Amino acid sequence: MSAIKSILHETRIFPPDTAFVKQANVAGTGAYHALCTEAERDYQGFWGKLAQEQILWHKVFTRVLDESNHPFFKWFDDGELNISFNCLDRHLATQPDKVAIIFEADDGKVTKSTYRDLYRRVCQFANGLRSLGIAKGDRVIIYMPMSIEAVVAMQACARIGAIHSVVFGGFSAKSLHERIIDAGAVAVISADEQIRGGRAIPLKSAVDEALAMDGADSVKSVVIYQRSGKDVKWHAPRDVWWHDLIKDKDDTCEPEWVNAEHPLFTLYTSGSTGKPKGVQHSSAGYLLGAMISMKWVFDYKPTDIFWCTADVGWVTGHSYVAYGPLAMGATQIMFEGVPTYPDAGRFWKIIQDHKVTTFYTAPTAIRSLIKSGPDLPRQYDLSSLRLLGSVGEPINPEAWMWYYTVVGQSRCPIVDTWWQTETGSHMIAPMPGAMPLKPGSCVFPLPGIMAVVVDEAGHEVEDGKGGFLVIKRPFPSLARTLWGDPERFRKTYFPQDLGGKYYLAGDSANRDLNGYFWIMGRIDDVLNVSGHRLGTMEIESALVANPLVAEAAVVGKPHDIKGEAVIAFVVLKGMRPQGENARKISTELRDWVAKEIGSIAKPDEIRFGDNLPKTRSGKIMRRLLRAIARGEEITQDVSTLENPAILEQLQQPIK
Ligand code: WTA
């Protein structure tokens, strides 16, 4: 195959500051390499030792990895444990009064829950679930707002061995229905309403609607947390209030000891073919990934105030809200609202008010905050911050620089963490005290993660050439299968074209001559311009590097001569330009890209919008933009689109 060509050349480099290195959990490049060498020398010994150190086992495993049924790997599979025990009970003796969760509501009201309090609430709720007849292996849908209760619901399922499947509260009744059916759920845990950005959004009525559709009769119970107090329709005896369910329940609850491979949860991700995939995770391997990355990547310290802004509806909110921080005994922030309410200073205010030390968010949030208030962070005291993180999309070097200088005040390392719902925890990410950073690169694979870049035949490409990102060996936190569809799991992630051996992530990447990884975008989005295969990220980053530009997305459109022409959708920092002004800026930006990275990548056309179409988790919907660029009718489901109105703007070529 012609390799995917890398055209972006970022030369800035930021070594960690000596003071940071001194206190780091992994200090210095030598320490990182030592861990990698250990993993290479004795792969099973390496993971086995970590699993012994990090996890509290009810029955210790004797086997580390079973690869006999490739790619359905098993880890630590004769061990027994309970995840909720690992997140809560373990702290009762040592730090019962430490605050586990600081919850800030949309309206600013703050509630705190200590480890002892959280333990009691989880036990009570777990007893409540048991009283409804819910038992080990049953599937429970959680469709809740960001709240302490959402974490309690997840932990309570884990405590009794029920398999939770969290559905993001922004999804429609139809999506909820699809997931209920696929999972064969016996219960739904939800709320009357959720409150975001000053607005109440109904949840209970969506549950009712989903359950009224065909085939949802596996659901026997609906538990409703009263968030807003709004009147809701009631279907007794199916529906029960959260507060009634726990009323007379004991605040201790014997955990269900489960096998290491027992499914902790499934989480649906949208597949490119439409039918959502129920990504199924294990218990022990998953927990180990979440814990070890807290230590290695977030350099977790007991004094940290940790804040991952992700909703519990996404994998990031599982690993770095509901499980990782609690297993480590951290104090963390949970925030109910949105970054722009009451104004675009909200995140910075929360950091200031709660003295957040570690802040982890998505590039889409960073870019929108740059657009709406580039200087706002300077009005807040952000001196408590010591580490910043990014996840979900490639972070363009210029957005990285803003994050680094304005938010981190050139003091805090940024961990750009590459991973996926399927990988359960960080795969490629800096260990912030062990390696210099390059803006836009997710740096090196973690120890024990054998990530490489290969061509279409599965052969490793030379450094500096792009290709498919794969992981050569199984690792503990890898998803075990797709719920009810093992064949789809095998075909999607271990395709025969690559020999069936490696985990195919679906992203294109380039490892540069210093071994740094650069994610170039999804494989499906690669452009083919005059025989050069280009990832989307590099052209987008070149555009974002222009001072006028806040966000950009590029897609290909068929072209008679070149094969594909580059079409760029751009959001400016100021107003959306019109007429003559749009023409002028468009010419300027096209020339800019040609100058920055070469004329091969020069967009043939630029269109401006007030925003870009994004999924609810903030990823740019390039497939939809491709249809728009080609003037095709939009057949994609746009019901989950955050901002449907902007499609019309983007459909207009500059005249
Ligand atoms: C993208 C989110 C570049 C990537 C944890 C991946 C990233 C997909 C990064 C998974 C990053 C995530 N740099 N790209 N740091 N993090 N991605 O399943 O395309 O919601 O395959 O998991 O997001 O998204 P998911």
Short mmCIF file of all heavy atoms in Angstrom, two decimals, residues 77-129:
data_model
loop_
_atom_site.label_atom_id
_atom_site.label_comp_id
_atom_site.label_asym_id
_atom_site.label_seq_id
_atom_site.Cartn_x
_atom_site.Cartn_y
_atom_site.Cartn_z
N ASP A 77 -7.62 -15.35 35.14
CA ASP A 77 -8.99 -15.87 35.07
C ASP A 77 -9.38 -16.88 36.13
O ASP A 77 -10.55 -17.27 36.17
CB ASP A 77 -9.26 -16.43 33.67
CG ASP A 77 -8.62 -17.78 33.49
OD1 ASP A 77 -7.43 -17.92 33.84
OD2 ASP A 77 -9.31 -18.70 33.03
N ASP A 78 -8.47 -17.26 37.03
CA ASP A 78 -8.97 -18.05 38.16
C ASP A 78 -8.97 -17.21 39.44
O ASP A 78 -9.12 -17.74 40.54
CB ASP A 78 -8.19 -19.36 38.32
CG ASP A 78 -6.70 -19.11 38.58
OD1 ASP A 78 -6.24 -17.97 38.35
OD2 ASP A 78 -6.01 -20.05 39.01
N GLY A 79 -8.85 -15.91 39.30
CA GLY A 79 -8.91 -15.03 40.46
C GLY A 79 -10.34 -14.57 40.72
O GLY A 79 -11.19 -14.64 39.83
N GLU A 80 -10.59 -14.12 41.94
CA GLU A 80 -11.92 -13.59 42.28
C GLU A 80 -11.78 -12.27 43.02
O GLU A 80 -10.88 -12.10 43.85
CB GLU A 80 -12.66 -14.57 43.20
CG GLU A 80 -13.27 -15.74 42.44
CD GLU A 80 -13.94 -16.74 43.36
OE1 GLU A 80 -14.19 -16.40 44.55
OE2 GLU A 80 -14.21 -17.85 42.90
N LEU A 81 -12.71 -11.37 42.72
CA LEU A 81 -12.63 -10.04 43.34
C LEU A 81 -14.01 -9.37 43.25
O LEU A 81 -14.94 -9.93 42.67
CB LEU A 81 -11.60 -9.17 42.62
CG LEU A 81 -12.00 -8.55 41.26
CD1 LEU A 81 -11.00 -7.52 40.83
CD2 LEU A 81 -12.19 -9.60 40.17
N ASN A 82 -14.10 -8.19 43.83
CA ASN A 82 -15.28 -7.36 43.61
C ASN A 82 -14.80 -5.92 43.38
O ASN A 82 -13.97 -5.41 44.14
CB ASN A 82 -16.24 -7.42 44.80
CG ASN A 82 -17.45 -6.54 44.57
OD1 ASN A 82 -17.40 -5.32 44.76
ND2 ASN A 82 -18.55 -7.13 44.11
N ILE A 83 -15.31 -5.32 42.33
CA ILE A 83 -14.81 -4.01 41.93
C ILE A 83 -15.21 -2.93 42.93
O ILE A 83 -14.43 -2.05 43.27
CB ILE A 83 -15.33 -3.65 40.51
CG1 ILE A 83 -14.85 -4.68 39.49
CG2 ILE A 83 -14.91 -2.25 40.11
CD1 ILE A 83 -13.37 -4.75 39.27
N SER A 84 -16.43 -3.00 43.42
CA SER A 84 -16.89 -2.00 44.38
C SER A 84 -16.10 -2.12 45.69
O SER A 84 -15.75 -1.11 46.33
CB SER A 84 -18.39 -2.18 44.58
OG SER A 84 -18.77 -1.81 45.86
N PHE A 85 -15.78 -3.34 46.09
CA PHE A 85 -14.92 -3.56 47.26
C PHE A 85 -13.57 -2.87 47.04
O PHE A 85 -13.02 -2.23 47.94
CB PHE A 85 -14.73 -5.07 47.46
CG PHE A 85 -13.94 -5.42 48.69
CD1 PHE A 85 -14.57 -5.59 49.92
CD2 PHE A 85 -12.56 -5.59 48.63
CE1 PHE A 85 -13.84 -5.91 51.06
CE2 PHE A 85 -11.82 -5.90 49.77
CZ PHE A 85 -12.46 -6.06 50.98
N ASN A 86 -13.06 -2.98 45.81
CA ASN A 86 -11.77 -2.36 45.48
C ASN A 86 -11.83 -0.84 45.45
O ASN A 86 -10.82 -0.17 45.59
CB ASN A 86 -11.26 -2.89 44.13
CG ASN A 86 -10.39 -4.11 44.29
OD1 ASN A 86 -9.18 -4.01 44.47
ND2 ASN A 86 -11.00 -5.29 44.25
N CYS A 87 -13.02 -0.29 45.21
CA CYS A 87 -13.14 1.16 45.13
C CYS A 87 -13.54 1.79 46.46
O CYS A 87 -13.30 2.97 46.68
CB CYS A 87 -14.17 1.55 44.07
SG CYS A 87 -13.66 1.13 42.41
N LEU A 88 -14.22 1.03 47.33
CA LEU A 88 -14.78 1.64 48.53
C LEU A 88 -14.28 1.00 49.82
O LEU A 88 -13.63 1.66 50.63
CB LEU A 88 -16.31 1.57 48.47
CG LEU A 88 -16.89 2.32 47.26
CD1 LEU A 88 -18.36 1.99 47.06
CD2 LEU A 88 -16.70 3.83 47.41
N ASP A 89 -14.55 -0.27 50.01
CA ASP A 89 -14.22 -0.93 51.28
C ASP A 89 -12.74 -0.75 51.63
O ASP A 89 -12.38 -0.60 52.79
CB ASP A 89 -14.55 -2.42 51.23
CG ASP A 89 -15.98 -2.68 50.79
OD1 ASP A 89 -16.41 -2.03 49.82
OD2 ASP A 89 -16.66 -3.52 51.41
N ARG A 90 -11.90 -0.75 50.60
CA ARG A 90 -10.45 -0.69 50.86
C ARG A 90 -10.05 0.63 51.53
O ARG A 90 -9.01 0.70 52.15
CB ARG A 90 -9.65 -0.89 49.59
CG ARG A 90 -9.78 0.22 48.57
CD ARG A 90 -8.58 0.32 47.64
NE ARG A 90 -8.07 -0.96 47.16
CZ ARG A 90 -7.27 -1.11 46.12
NH1 ARG A 90 -6.88 -0.06 45.46
NH2 ARG A 90 -6.84 -2.29 45.75
N HIS A 91 -10.89 1.65 51.42
CA HIS A 91 -10.53 2.94 52.02
C HIS A 91 -11.15 3.14 53.40
O HIS A 91 -10.87 4.12 54.06
CB HIS A 91 -10.96 4.09 51.11
CG HIS A 91 -10.46 3.93 49.71
ND1 HIS A 91 -9.12 3.85 49.42
CD2 HIS A 91 -11.10 3.82 48.52
CE1 HIS A 91 -8.96 3.69 48.11
NE2 HIS A 91 -10.15 3.67 47.55
N LEU A 92 -12.04 2.23 53.80
CA LEU A 92 -12.77 2.45 55.05
C LEU A 92 -11.85 2.49 56.26
O LEU A 92 -12.05 3.27 57.18
CB LEU A 92 -13.83 1.36 55.25
CG LEU A 92 -15.04 1.46 54.31
CD1 LEU A 92 -16.06 0.39 54.66
CD2 LEU A 92 -15.66 2.85 54.38
N ALA A 93 -10.84 1.64 56.26
CA ALA A 93 -9.94 1.60 57.41
C ALA A 93 -8.95 2.76 57.37
O ALA A 93 -8.58 3.30 58.40
CB ALA A 93 -9.20 0.27 57.43
N THR A 94 -8.52 3.14 56.18
CA THR A 94 -7.42 4.09 56.07
C THR A 94 -7.86 5.55 55.95
O THR A 94 -7.19 6.45 56.44
CB THR A 94 -6.56 3.77 54.85
OG1 THR A 94 -7.44 3.62 53.73
CG2 THR A 94 -5.78 2.47 55.06
N GLN A 95 -8.96 5.81 55.24
CA GLN A 95 -9.33 7.21 55.03
C GLN A 95 -10.84 7.39 54.85
O GLN A 95 -11.31 7.96 53.85
CB GLN A 95 -8.59 7.76 53.79
CG GLN A 95 -8.66 6.86 52.58
CD GLN A 95 -8.12 7.53 51.33
OE1 GLN A 95 -7.35 8.48 51.39
NE2 GLN A 95 -8.55 7.06 50.16
N PRO A 96 -11.61 6.92 55.85
CA PRO A 96 -13.08 6.98 55.70
C PRO A 96 -13.62 8.40 55.54
O PRO A 96 -14.64 8.61 54.90
CB PRO A 96 -13.59 6.35 57.00
CG PRO A 96 -12.46 6.49 57.97
CD PRO A 96 -11.21 6.38 57.16
N ASP A 97 -12.93 9.36 56.12
CA ASP A 97 -13.46 10.73 56.09
C ASP A 97 -12.92 11.58 54.96
O ASP A 97 -13.26 12.76 54.84
CB ASP A 97 -13.20 11.42 57.44
CG ASP A 97 -13.90 10.66 58.56
OD1 ASP A 97 -15.05 10.23 58.34
OD2 ASP A 97 -13.28 10.44 59.62
N LYS A 98 -12.08 10.99 54.14
CA LYS A 98 -11.60 11.75 52.98
C LYS A 98 -12.77 11.94 52.01
O LYS A 98 -13.58 11.03 51.80
CB LYS A 98 -10.47 10.98 52.29
CG LYS A 98 -9.91 11.72 51.07
CD LYS A 98 -8.65 11.08 50.52
CE LYS A 98 -8.17 11.86 49.30
NZ LYS A 98 -6.92 11.33 48.75
N VAL A 99 -12.85 13.12 51.43
CA VAL A 99 -13.91 13.37 50.46
C VAL A 99 -13.61 12.59 49.18
O VAL A 99 -12.52 12.69 48.64
CB VAL A 99 -14.04 14.88 50.16
CG1 VAL A 99 -15.01 15.13 49.01
CG2 VAL A 99 -14.50 15.62 51.42
N ALA A 100 -14.58 11.83 48.75
CA ALA A 100 -14.41 11.06 47.51
C ALA A 100 -14.89 11.89 46.32
O ALA A 100 -14.21 11.99 45.31
CB ALA A 100 -15.19 9.75 47.59
N ILE A 101 -16.08 12.49 46.48
CA ILE A 101 -16.66 13.25 45.36
C ILE A 101 -17.12 14.62 45.84
O ILE A 101 -17.84 14.74 46.84
CB ILE A 101 -17.86 12.50 44.73
CG1 ILE A 101 -17.42 11.12 44.23
CG2 ILE A 101 -18.46 13.32 43.58
CD1 ILE A 101 -18.55 10.28 43.64
N ILE A 102 -16.67 15.64 45.13
CA ILE A 102 -17.21 16.99 45.31
C ILE A 102 -18.10 17.22 44.10
O ILE A 102 -17.61 17.25 42.97
CB ILE A 102 -16.09 18.05 45.31
CG1 ILE A 102 -15.06 17.76 46.41
CG2 ILE A 102 -16.68 19.47 45.43
CD1 ILE A 102 -13.83 18.67 46.37
N PHE A 103 -19.39 17.32 44.36
CA PHE A 103 -20.33 17.47 43.25
C PHE A 103 -20.76 18.92 43.14
O PHE A 103 -21.25 19.50 44.11
CB PHE A 103 -21.55 16.57 43.46
CG PHE A 103 -22.61 16.75 42.42
CD1 PHE A 103 -22.43 16.26 41.14
CD2 PHE A 103 -23.79 17.44 42.72
CE1 PHE A 103 -23.39 16.45 40.16
CE2 PHE A 103 -24.76 17.63 41.75
CZ PHE A 103 -24.57 17.13 40.47
N GLU A 104 -20.59 19.51 41.98
CA GLU A 104 -21.10 20.86 41.76
C GLU A 104 -22.26 20.79 40.78
O GLU A 104 -22.12 20.34 39.63
CB GLU A 104 -20.00 21.81 41.25
CG GLU A 104 -20.56 23.22 41.07
CD GLU A 104 -19.52 24.32 40.98
OE1 GLU A 104 -18.51 24.28 41.71
OE2 GLU A 104 -19.75 25.24 40.17
N ALA A 105 -23.43 21.24 41.25
CA ALA A 105 -24.63 21.20 40.42
C ALA A 105 -24.58 22.34 39.40
O ALA A 105 -23.78 23.26 39.50
CB ALA A 105 -25.87 21.33 41.30
N ASP A 106 -25.47 22.24 38.44
CA ASP A 106 -25.58 23.25 37.39
C ASP A 106 -25.71 24.66 37.97
O ASP A 106 -25.09 25.60 37.49
CB ASP A 106 -26.82 22.90 36.55
CG ASP A 106 -26.92 23.72 35.28
OD1 ASP A 106 -26.00 23.64 34.45
OD2 ASP A 106 -27.92 24.46 35.12
N ASP A 107 -26.50 24.76 39.06
CA ASP A 107 -26.72 26.09 39.66
C ASP A 107 -25.63 26.49 40.64
O ASP A 107 -25.74 27.51 41.33
CB ASP A 107 -28.09 26.13 40.35
CG ASP A 107 -28.17 25.19 41.55
OD1 ASP A 107 -27.14 24.55 41.89
OD2 ASP A 107 -29.26 25.09 42.16
N GLY A 108 -24.59 25.68 40.78
CA GLY A 108 -23.46 26.04 41.63
C GLY A 108 -23.48 25.43 43.02
O GLY A 108 -22.52 25.53 43.76
N LYS A 109 -24.58 24.75 43.36
CA LYS A 109 -24.67 24.14 44.69
C LYS A 109 -23.67 22.99 44.80
O LYS A 109 -23.58 22.15 43.90
CB LYS A 109 -26.10 23.65 44.92
CG LYS A 109 -26.32 23.06 46.28
CD LYS A 109 -27.82 22.95 46.61
CE LYS A 109 -28.01 22.32 47.97
NZ LYS A 109 -28.07 20.85 47.93
N VAL A 110 -22.94 22.98 45.92
CA VAL A 110 -21.89 21.96 46.09
C VAL A 110 -22.30 20.94 47.14
O VAL A 110 -22.78 21.29 48.21
CB VAL A 110 -20.56 22.64 46.50
CG1 VAL A 110 -19.50 21.59 46.83
CG2 VAL A 110 -20.07 23.57 45.38
N THR A 111 -22.13 19.65 46.82
CA THR A 111 -22.39 18.57 47.76
C THR A 111 -21.15 17.70 47.83
O THR A 111 -20.54 17.44 46.79
CB THR A 111 -23.53 17.64 47.24
OG1 THR A 111 -24.50 18.44 46.59
CG2 THR A 111 -24.15 16.83 48.33
N LYS A 112 -20.79 17.26 49.02
CA LYS A 112 -19.61 16.41 49.14
C LYS A 112 -19.98 15.05 49.71
O LYS A 112 -20.86 14.96 50.56
CB LYS A 112 -18.57 17.06 50.04
CG LYS A 112 -18.03 18.36 49.44
CD LYS A 112 -16.95 18.99 50.28
CE LYS A 112 -16.55 20.30 49.61
NZ LYS A 112 -15.58 21.06 50.39
N SER A 113 -19.28 14.04 49.26
CA SER A 113 -19.51 12.71 49.80
C SER A 113 -18.16 12.09 50.16
O SER A 113 -17.26 12.04 49.32
CB SER A 113 -20.24 11.84 48.76
OG SER A 113 -20.42 10.54 49.25
N THR A 114 -18.04 11.66 51.41
CA THR A 114 -16.78 11.03 51.83
C THR A 114 -16.77 9.56 51.41
O THR A 114 -17.80 9.02 51.01
CB THR A 114 -16.65 11.06 53.37
OG1 THR A 114 -17.73 10.29 53.90
CG2 THR A 114 -16.71 12.48 53.90
N TYR A 115 -15.63 8.91 51.58
CA TYR A 115 -15.57 7.49 51.25
C TYR A 115 -16.55 6.68 52.10
O TYR A 115 -17.21 5.78 51.59
CB TYR A 115 -14.13 6.97 51.35
CG TYR A 115 -13.42 7.20 50.02
CD1 TYR A 115 -12.66 8.34 49.79
CD2 TYR A 115 -13.61 6.30 48.97
CE1 TYR A 115 -12.08 8.57 48.56
CE2 TYR A 115 -13.03 6.52 47.73
CZ TYR A 115 -12.26 7.65 47.52
OH TYR A 115 -11.71 7.87 46.29
N ARG A 116 -16.68 7.03 53.39
CA ARG A 116 -17.61 6.28 54.23
C ARG A 116 -19.05 6.49 53.75
O ARG A 116 -19.83 5.54 53.61
CB ARG A 116 -17.49 6.72 55.69
CG ARG A 116 -18.24 5.78 56.63
CD ARG A 116 -18.52 6.38 58.02
NE ARG A 116 -17.56 7.36 58.45
CZ ARG A 116 -16.57 7.15 59.32
NH1 ARG A 116 -16.43 5.97 59.85
NH2 ARG A 116 -15.76 8.11 59.66
N ASP A 117 -19.36 7.74 53.46
CA ASP A 117 -20.71 8.07 53.00
C ASP A 117 -21.02 7.37 51.68
O ASP A 117 -22.09 6.78 51.50
CB ASP A 117 -20.81 9.59 52.85
CG ASP A 117 -22.12 10.03 52.26
OD1 ASP A 117 -23.15 9.76 52.91
OD2 ASP A 117 -22.13 10.60 51.15
N LEU A 118 -20.07 7.41 50.77
CA LEU A 118 -20.29 6.79 49.46
C LEU A 118 -20.48 5.27 49.61
O LEU A 118 -21.35 4.67 48.99
CB LEU A 118 -19.08 7.09 48.55
CG LEU A 118 -19.29 6.88 47.06
CD1 LEU A 118 -20.39 7.78 46.52
CD2 LEU A 118 -17.98 7.15 46.30
N TYR A 119 -19.66 4.69 50.48
CA TYR A 119 -19.77 3.26 50.75
C TYR A 119 -21.18 2.92 51.24
O TYR A 119 -21.83 2.01 50.75
CB TYR A 119 -18.72 2.87 51.81
CG TYR A 119 -18.95 1.54 52.47
CD1 TYR A 119 -18.55 0.35 51.86
CD2 TYR A 119 -19.59 1.47 53.71
CE1 TYR A 119 -18.78 -0.87 52.47
CE2 TYR A 119 -19.82 0.25 54.33
CZ TYR A 119 -19.42 -0.91 53.70
OH TYR A 119 -19.65 -2.12 54.31
N ARG A 120 -21.68 3.72 52.19
CA ARG A 120 -23.02 3.45 52.73
C ARG A 120 -24.10 3.60 51.66
O ARG A 120 -25.02 2.79 51.57
CB ARG A 120 -23.33 4.41 53.88
CG ARG A 120 -22.53 4.07 55.12
CD ARG A 120 -22.90 5.01 56.24
NE ARG A 120 -22.20 4.63 57.46
CZ ARG A 120 -21.92 5.47 58.45
NH1 ARG A 120 -22.30 6.74 58.36
NH2 ARG A 120 -21.30 5.06 59.52
N ARG A 121 -23.95 4.63 50.86
CA ARG A 121 -24.97 4.86 49.82
C ARG A 121 -24.96 3.73 48.80
O ARG A 121 -26.02 3.30 48.32
CB ARG A 121 -24.72 6.21 49.15
CG ARG A 121 -25.09 7.35 50.08
CD ARG A 121 -24.50 8.65 49.67
NE ARG A 121 -25.21 9.26 48.55
CZ ARG A 121 -25.11 10.54 48.23
NH1 ARG A 121 -24.33 11.35 48.93
NH2 ARG A 121 -25.77 11.02 47.22
N VAL A 122 -23.76 3.28 48.44
CA VAL A 122 -23.66 2.18 47.46
C VAL A 122 -24.26 0.91 48.05
O VAL A 122 -25.01 0.20 47.39
CB VAL A 122 -22.19 1.98 47.02
CG1 VAL A 122 -22.03 0.67 46.26
CG2 VAL A 122 -21.72 3.17 46.18
N CYS A 123 -23.93 0.64 49.33
CA CYS A 123 -24.46 -0.57 49.96
C CYS A 123 -25.99 -0.54 50.01
O CYS A 123 -26.66 -1.51 49.67
CB CYS A 123 -23.89 -0.73 51.36
SG CYS A 123 -22.16 -1.26 51.34
N GLN A 124 -26.53 0.60 50.45
CA GLN A 124 -27.99 0.72 50.53
C GLN A 124 -28.64 0.51 49.17
O GLN A 124 -29.63 -0.21 49.04
CB GLN A 124 -28.35 2.13 51.00
CG GLN A 124 -28.41 2.27 52.48
CD GLN A 124 -29.05 3.59 52.87
OE1 GLN A 124 -28.88 4.60 52.17
NE2 GLN A 124 -29.79 3.58 53.96
N PHE A 125 -28.06 1.13 48.19
CA PHE A 125 -28.67 1.03 46.86
C PHE A 125 -28.51 -0.39 46.30
O PHE A 125 -29.42 -0.93 45.67
CB PHE A 125 -28.08 2.07 45.91
CG PHE A 125 -28.88 2.24 44.65
CD1 PHE A 125 -30.17 2.77 44.70
CD2 PHE A 125 -28.38 1.85 43.42
CE1 PHE A 125 -30.94 2.90 43.54
CE2 PHE A 125 -29.13 1.98 42.26
CZ PHE A 125 -30.41 2.50 42.33
N ALA A 126 -27.35 -1.01 46.60
CA ALA A 126 -27.13 -2.39 46.16
C ALA A 126 -28.16 -3.31 46.80
O ALA A 126 -28.74 -4.18 46.15
CB ALA A 126 -25.71 -2.84 46.51
N ASN A 127 -28.43 -3.08 48.10
CA ASN A 127 -29.47 -3.87 48.76
C ASN A 127 -30.83 -3.61 48.12
O ASN A 127 -31.65 -4.52 47.98
CB ASN A 127 -29.53 -3.53 50.26
CG ASN A 127 -28.34 -4.14 51.01
OD1 ASN A 127 -27.89 -5.24 50.68
ND2 ASN A 127 -27.83 -3.42 52.01
N GLY A 128 -31.05 -2.37 47.72
CA GLY A 128 -32.29 -2.03 47.02
C GLY A 128 -32.42 -2.80 45.71
O GLY A 128 -33.47 -3.37 45.41
N LEU A 129 -31.34 -2.85 44.96
CA LEU A 129 -31.38 -3.57 43.69
C LEU A 129 -31.63 -5.06 43.93
O LEU A 129 -32.43 -5.69 43.24
CB LEU A 129 -30.06 -3.39 42.92
CG LEU A 129 -29.76 -1.98 42.40
CD1 LEU A 129 -28.41 -1.95 41.69
CD2 LEU A 129 -30.86 -1.48 41.44
#
